[in-house]
Amino acid sequence: MTIDPKNFRDLDPGERVLMGPGPSNVSPRVLSALGAPCIGHLDPYFLSIMDETQALLRALFQTENQLTIPVSGTGSAGMETCFVNLVQPGDKVVIGVNGVFGTRMSDVASRLGAEVTRVEAEWGRAVDPGDIRQAALQEKPKIIALVHAETSTGVRQPIGGLRDIADECGALLLLDTVTSLGGIEVAVDKWGIDAVYSGTQKCLSCPPGLSPISLSARAMEVLKKRKTKVPNWYLDMSLVADYWGSSRKYHHTAPVNMIYALREALRLIVEEGMAARFERHLTNHQALVAGLEAMGLSMLVKPEERLPMLNAVVVPDGVDELKVRQRLLAEYGIEIGGGLGDLSGKIWRVGLMGFSCSRRNVTLFLSALERVLWA
Ligand SMILES: Cc1ncc(COP(=O)(O)O)c(C=O)c1O
């Protein structure tokens, strides 16, 4: 087969304002870090970059956990990593399910042979901690798992009291922070979280491709005492830890330039200051909601359960929600998301994540939406 190079254009995706459920816009500093020379994954300079990346991740997760690293793969790889290392066939797992990602967790855990108990809540509401406690006391699970920021609905899951529930039944606590990390507080040690994972493409404003994770000493002990090998070689943290730890033993070739990018994104967060960053997300969210409500639109989630970085807006009766999204993209270069599952066609998901979370974008989006809807 011959192939004509003229049929393949120069790469030129154009500019977009990324205000969907992720990815978010990437800072020019992160993009230029991606373009730094690729060096060997065992090069002493790169090893020092790995150490700095781990230190920055520990600061962001607010943890002293030794195993705090970016897994090579997207957020779902982080989810798989947490479950595949801690679950053995027949283990009981209690999972809060109020959207797509709790549902995905249940699928991942049951594929590993776990006995999964789903604690359900309506999509658009937080899972009731009382329901979690009741299921946990009844099942005595090995793991209680929840989604901190349910991207499919814009719901923030309260974390207070979960450690006490886990202690009552001797369970590990596992938390999905893919959308929350970098936009609201994630305090791994203070909250007593044993396994946590995130993604680079949301509030960290880095391209998709890595999943920061952290495992507590308690989780590492469970991993060490497994009777069977971790059934996934690539995600086996007892092997990967040897590359990120002092022995620097080759496991797989690290995605060198993505780790440069993540380190730069984390440096930006530390420079801004975590409190200032969380405040920026909150105030832009408040401005967005005020503008939407002034236009007569309403939010899916009640105020006390709303995430600042993911805003679920109810599509007004008679409006073709897909057409609105298509016009926003074509006429203004603005990307927002539609609803998933039962919420398909019923909501828009408007992201205010990391670099995309600015007063300028809020104003631009509100005026573009107003024109597309009513003008
Ligand atoms: C809460 C949550 N968990 C997990 C994932 C999966 O991450 P990824 O799509 O990067 O694999 C996502 C992605 O949107 C998410 O929002």
Side-chain angles (χ1 to χ4, degrees):
M1 189 173 106
T2 56
I3 191 160
D4 184 350
K6 286 202 290 297
N7 291 337
F8 300 91
R9 300 160 292 171
D10 286 345
L11 185 67
D12 182 16
E15 296 268 324
R16 300 281 188 282
V17 180
L18 296 179
M19 298 182 72
S24 59
N25 286 114
V26 176
S27 146
R29 260 177 60 183
V30 173
L31 288 175
S32 78
L34 263 179
C38 184
I39 61 175
H41 62 105
L42 292 168
D43 186 295
Y45 181 80
F46 184 64
L47 297 180
S48 71
I49 292 299
M50 288 167 66
D51 287 344
E52 289 179 22
T53 306
Q54 283 180 284
L56 288 161
L57 276 180
R58 284 191 195 103
L60 188 60
F61 275 128
Q62 300 185 39
T63 185
E64 301 291 329
N65 288 342
Q66 181 60 28
L67 192 95
T68 304
I69 61 163
V71 167
S72 307
T74 64
S76 305
M79 186 190 288
E80 296 266 10
T81 299
C82 290
F83 283 104
V84 84
N85 282 275
L86 299 177
V87 168
Q88 294 194 80
D91 284 346
K92 291 186 171 184
V93 179
V94 165
I95 302 179
V97 178
N98 58 348
V100 166
F101 296 102
T103 307
R104 186 176 298 180
M105 276 184 170
S106 311
D107 189 10
V108 167
S110 57
R111 282 167 191 245
L112 295 166
E115 265 184 48
V116 176
T117 301
R118 292 160 60 116
V119 180
E120 309 256 358
E122 189 188 326
W123 287 32
R125 295 296 314 274
V127 180
D128 184 342
D131 293 346
I132 294 279
R133 181 166 183 270
Q134 199 183 351
L137 292 183
Q138 193 177 317
E139 297 298 325
K140 300 268 183 297
K142 182 179 191 183
I143 298 171
I144 299 172
L146 283 148
V147 180
H148 189 208
E150 188 35 94
T151 324
S152 59
T153 61
V155 167
R156 177 182 190 148
Q157 180 64 41
I159 304 300
L162 284 178
R163 183 68 253 166
D164 292 342
I165 297 171
D167 284 342
E168 272 187 88
C169 57
L172 296 171
L173 256 190
L174 190 161
L175 196 64
D176 175 321
T177 64
V178 169
T179 284
S180 51
L181 190 70
I184 53 177
E185 184 175 53
V186 174
V188 168
D189 289 358
K190 187 169 85 187
W191 296 345
I193 308 297
D194 295 298
V196 63
Y197 61 89
S198 189
T200 42
Q201 75 273 25
K202 313 264 187 182
C203 293
L204 306 191
S205 278
C206 197
L210 292 177
S211 175
I213 69 148
S214 186
L215 296 181
S216 70
R218 195 167 20 205
M220 291 305 283
E221 204 46 40
V222 168
L223 171 57
K224 216 187 280 168
K225 289 193 175 136
R226 285 181 68 101
K227 294 201 181 70
T228 54
K229 273 188 176 182
V230 173
N232 182 310
W233 179 87
Y234 193 71
L235 301 177
D236 182 341
M237 286 299 115
S238 58
L239 304 176
V240 176
D242 281 342
Y243 172 54
W244 282 88
S246 53
S247 66
R248 305 295 191 182
K249 200 167 146 199
Y250 164 69
H251 178 260
H252 65 273
T253 309
V256 171
N257 291 55
M258 267 307 293
I259 290 170
Y260 295 160
L262 172 60
R263 174 180 167 279
E264 195 60 26
L266 296 171
R267 246 162 48 98
L268 280 164
I269 293 175
V270 169
E271 282 170 24
E272 179 175 7
M274 240 118 67
R277 191 175 180 89
F278 301 155
E279 185 63 22
R280 172 164 63 84
H281 281 80
L282 184 62
T283 53
N284 285 324
H285 155 76
Q286 287 164 341
L288 176 74
V289 172
L292 290 166
E293 288 178 346
M295 284 165 64
L297 297 169
S298 59
M299 307 297 291
L300 174 75
V301 179
K302 59 182 186 177
E304 59 274 28
E305 292 183 350
R306 280 179 199 157
L307 288 168
M309 72 287 284
L310 197 290
N311 298 272
V313 184
V314 177
V315 176
D317 284 342
V319 170
D320 180 339
E321 76 82 20
L322 178 61
K323 236 182 215 145
V324 170
R325 283 191 286 133
Q326 286 170 336
R327 281 192 61 194
L328 285 172
L329 189 62
E331 295 170 27
Y332 298 92
I334 299 173
E335 178 186 277
I336 63 166
L340 300 175
D342 286 351
L343 292 172
S344 173
K346 296 183 183 153
I347 58 165
W348 290 299
R349 291 181 299 149
V350 183
L352 286 172
M353 299 180 179
F355 196 61
S356 293
C357 177
S358 64
R359 189 53 59 99
R360 191 179 73 151
N361 280 355
V362 169
T363 310
L364 174 70
F365 169 70
L366 287 172
S367 50
L369 182 66
E370 192 159 38
R371 289 197 73 79
V372 167
L373 273 179
W374 323 120

